């Protein structure tokens, strides 16, 4: 990155679920633009390994389902960096649906909502005073197209829809303190969770108007924009980064053309 693109010089950033995938790509992108990044993850060992390869990064284990762990992670970031300017809520849980809704156990439903939605709330609650004190605070939540349309996964989708609502209400609450809150809704992204299912990704690429699934770096670029001062007059917004999936029904159009 050139000096002109180091938008996060001197920033302190905390990212949840950052040991791999979208979180890792976001950590690398913000660090490349000058940020000091706290890589947090439920898997503390993996978080440490990821942070070791990122200049200026540190790491700590963090279970977003545990208020004390969240507050400790935020405190560690503030102590390490002297301030906290950006929070990226990326941690999530996505349990497979049961064949029949009535067979879905409370445990999996509760885990998905607690990690994906309430976990983001816990992190925002702990970070907000520090973000307000920084004078340039921003929260970026990682949502999903599942928040807007049916792609399965009842609990995960409900949690991501709730996260979009939290983004809006928190934006209103935080705005008087100078903190912006936005969300990115990715479509299908080639992350480690798809390992062994590359053929499925190739098939999914055909339903995307832009002809491919997303890469973690696509999402990281959107997060970097929303977290930066380039988005200084944007708050309460959900940005789709989905290759046109929700705007264009490619499968329907193909059937019409074939007919």
């Amino acid at each position: 990155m050139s000096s002109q693109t180091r938008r996060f010089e001197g920033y302190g950033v905390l990212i949840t679920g950052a040991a791999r995938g979208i979180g890792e790509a976001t950590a690398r992108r913000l660090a490349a633009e000058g940020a000091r990044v706290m890589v947090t993850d439920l898997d503390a060992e993996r978080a440490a390994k990821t942070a070791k390869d990122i200049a200026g990064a540190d790491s700590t284990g963090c279970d977003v389902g545990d208020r004390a762990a969240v507050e400790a992670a935020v405190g560690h970031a503030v102590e390490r960096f002297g301030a906290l300017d950006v929070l990226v809520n990326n941690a999530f849980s996505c349990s497979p649906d049961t064949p029949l809704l009535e067979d879905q156990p409370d445990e999996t439903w509760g885990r998905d909502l607690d990690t994906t939605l309430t976990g983001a709330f816990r992190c925002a609650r702990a970070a907000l005073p520090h973000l307000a004190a920084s004078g340039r605070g921003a929260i970026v939540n990682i949502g999903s197209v599942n928040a807007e349309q049916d792609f399965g996964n009842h609990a995960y989708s409900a949690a991501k829809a709730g996260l979009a609502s939290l983004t809006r209400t928190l934006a209103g609450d935080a705005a008087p303190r100078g903190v912006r809150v936005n969300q990115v809704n990715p479509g299908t992204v080639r992350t480690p969770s798809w390992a062994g299912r590359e053929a499925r990704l190739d098939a999914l690429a055909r339903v995307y108007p832009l002809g491919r699934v997303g890469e973690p770096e696509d999402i990281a670029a959107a997060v970097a924009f929303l977290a930066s001062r380039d988005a200084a007059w944007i708050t309460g917004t959900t940005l789709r980064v989905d290759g046109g999936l929700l705007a264009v029904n490619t499968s329907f159009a193909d059937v019409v053309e074939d007919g």
Side-chain angles (χ1 to χ4, degrees), residues 110-146:
R111 181 171 60 247
D112 284 7
L113 265 69
D114 188 66
T115 301
T116 308
L117 176 56
T118 309
F121 160 74
R122 291 188 187 101
C123 292
R125 177 175 59 191
L128 196 52
H130 304 287
L131 297 173
S134 82
R136 55 190 182 189
I139 298 173
V140 182
N141 296 322
I142 306 301
S144 171
V145 291
N146 287 51

Side-chain angles (χ1 to χ4, degrees), residues 114-206:
D114 188 66
T115 301
T116 308
L117 176 56
T118 309
F121 160 74
R122 291 188 187 101
C123 292
R125 177 175 59 191
L128 196 52
H130 304 287
L131 297 173
S134 82
R136 55 190 182 189
I139 298 173
V140 182
N141 296 322
I142 306 301
S144 171
V145 291
N146 287 51
E148 303 183 63
Q149 193 169 308
D150 175 25
F151 296 103
N153 298 110
H154 298 297
Y156 170 81
S157 299
K160 291 297 191 181
L163 188 60
S165 179
L166 178 63
T167 296
R168 293 188 293 270
T169 57
L170 185 55
D173 182 81
R177 289 191 273 176
V179 178
R180 299 178 300 103
V181 187
N182 292 290
Q183 180 159 316
V184 174
N185 276 5
T188 306
V189 178
R190 191 186 305 275
T191 64
S193 63
W194 286 94
R197 296 185 292 163
E198 288 76 14
R200 180 76 60 86
L201 281 177
D202 291 340
L204 283 170
R206 296 195 291 271

Side-chain angles (χ1 to χ4, degrees), residues 55-108:
D58 199 349
S59 72
T60 186
C62 181
D63 177 1
V64 299
D66 182 334
R67 180 174 184 173
V70 167
E71 292 176 350
V74 169
H76 183 52
V78 172
E79 180 180 6
R80 176 73 170 80
F81 303 142
L84 184 64
D85 303 284
V86 175
L87 166 67
V88 180
N89 282 313
N90 175 64
F92 71 94
S93 173
C94 182
S95 303
D97 287 336
T98 52
L100 295 175
L101 179 67
E102 55 265 38
D103 295 328
Q104 181 106 25
D106 287 356
E107 291 76 18
T108 56

